Structures are given as structure tokens and as C-alpha cells.
Amino acid sequence: MMDQPPQKNDSATQQSHAAARFALSRTDVVVIGLVCIGIGVALGFFLPALGSLAATFPIPFGDVIEKLSRFDQAWVVIARPILGGALGLIAAFFIAASTTPLVVDEHGITIGRDDDHPLRISRASFSTAYFADSKLVVVTEGGHQAFKGDVEGKKAAIAEAFTSRGYRWGEI
């Protein structure tokens, strides 16, 4: 009977085969939503003070903001924070929807959401990736720039995701 070498089953080996996903988590989306709603409610609540302050600076529509902030009927005082919160919710939706997720795995790269026709680059057609002007640039084998844009994740973690899976990473 021959001795077989022991199978390596450490976490580093398993981790290199798992896909690296860079996207907003549900917690991130909830925090963004709560912050935007909170800012909207606060702006609605403090609009009279902000309107008086705005009138002292030469900003566009400063006079309009001051006049709107002087409405002091009970329904307006109640409606301002509610409207601010609704506008904050809309802002949170646009912030969360404007982020671009990135998935790097052993077989290729996926940039974008699955429900929005993501860009898929196979390992065979991939040439190199790097950051230029704070934007991720992905170049294909033929020298075509397949993607240049913002993606979720920290630069160092994204670079590590590419290099740990054997993709070429270059700095310009």
C-alpha cells in the first residue's frame, strides 16, 4: 500500500478559489438610507434657520429659500421633515443604484449587476487591470479597453483579488 500525500485543506487554498465580490451589502444600503433620510428630515426641520442663513450669502435661489422657510403654518412645519425624509430616501436609492459591483473569480471578471446586462470578461480574453485616475481599467487581450469606471471596494483589496487569482495587475 502506497502512502498518498495529505490533501491540503487550509483556508488560504479555499479562499483563492472563492469569488471576490465587491458590492454594497444590505447593511451598507440600510446605513446609506438611514443617513440620507436623517439628513433630509434634519434639513426639513431646520429649514427656517437655514433659510435665514442662506439669505446672508450670495447663493442661487437664496431669496426663494428664505421666503419658503418663513411659512410657519402647522401643516407646513409637519410636512417639511416628511418631505425631507422622502427626498432623502430617493437620494439613497440613487446612491445605491449608481454603485457598480465587481466579481473576480477563477474563470473571469463580472462588472455590473446581474439584472442590468453586466460586462463579463473571460480569463482567456483578459489582459490586464489597473487603476488610473481612481477608476478601474480592464484591458482585453487585443488591447481593447473593456471597462473604465468606478467600482465598489478599496483599491488594495481589488488589486489583491486580481493578483491572488493569477490575473495580471499593472500600475500606470
Side-chain angles (χ1 to χ4, degrees), residues 48-67:
L50 294 173
S52 299
L53 183 65
T56 62
F57 294 103
I59 61 171
F61 307 110
D63 293 336
V64 174
I65 293 172
E66 182 185 20
K67 288 177 185 172

Side-chain angles (χ1 to χ4, degrees), residues 32-117:
I32 289 169
L34 291 175
V35 167
C36 288
I37 291 170
I39 289 171
V41 168
L43 286 174
F45 185 73
F46 293 113
L47 186 63
L50 294 173
S52 299
L53 183 65
T56 62
F57 294 103
I59 61 171
F61 307 110
D63 293 336
V64 174
I65 293 172
E66 182 185 20
K67 288 177 185 172
L68 288 174
S69 67
R70 291 194 182 179
F71 289 117
D72 60 355
Q73 291 87 5
W75 71 271
V76 174
V77 172
I78 294 169
R80 279 193 311 242
I82 293 170
L83 183 61
L87 291 174
L89 184 64
I90 292 168
F93 172 77
F94 281 110
I95 290 169
S98 69
T99 63
T100 305
L102 169 69
V103 177
V104 181
D105 64 20
E106 300 295 326
H107 307 291
I109 301 155
T110 304
I111 303 169
R113 288 181 176 73
D114 287 333
D115 61 349
D116 194 26
H117 306 292

Side-chain angles (χ1 to χ4, degrees), residues 128-132 135-139 145 168-172:
T128 190
Y130 58 91
F131 277 105
K135 297 190 182 304
L136 177 66
V137 179
V138 178
V139 181
Q145 182 176 308
R168 185 170 170 230
W169 181 265
E171 295 287 334
I172 290 186

Side-chain angles (χ1 to χ4, degrees), residues 22 102 130-136 149-163 169 171:
F22 300 94
L102 169 69
Y130 58 91
F131 277 105
D133 300 325
S134 298
K135 297 190 182 304
L136 177 66
D150 294 321
V151 293
E152 279 303 307
K154 295 183 178 178
K155 291 180 182 182
I158 291 172
E160 172 64 25
F162 277 92
T163 57
W169 181 265
E171 295 287 334

